[in-house]
Amino acid sequence: MTITTAHIPAIVALIAGILILVMPRLLNIVVAVYLICIGLIGMGVLRFFRL
């Protein structure tokens, strides 16, 4: 199984959803990290690091 940049947002969203269910107080942090990750992926920054 190969993880491509198309799979990363889905994986991040799944992990964020689980964390929010387990610890609702982490909502602000999880949302912030998710938005930063999606922004970096959208800008193509991860391709620079060959991920």
Side-chain angles (χ1 to χ4, degrees):
M1 181 174 117
T2 304
I3 297 178
T4 62
T5 55
H7 292 107
I8 292 175
I11 293 169
V12 172
L14 181 64
I15 293 170
I18 291 170
L19 286 174
I20 290 169
L21 283 174
V22 173
M23 297 181 231
R25 292 184 182 185
L26 287 178
L27 180 60
N28 291 338
I29 296 170
V30 170
V31 170
V33 170
Y34 177 77
L35 291 173
I36 290 169
C37 289
I38 296 303
L40 290 175
I41 291 168
M43 290 174 31
V45 173
L46 296 181
R47 286 187 216 150
F48 178 73
F49 295 110
R50 306 231 186 248
L51 294 175

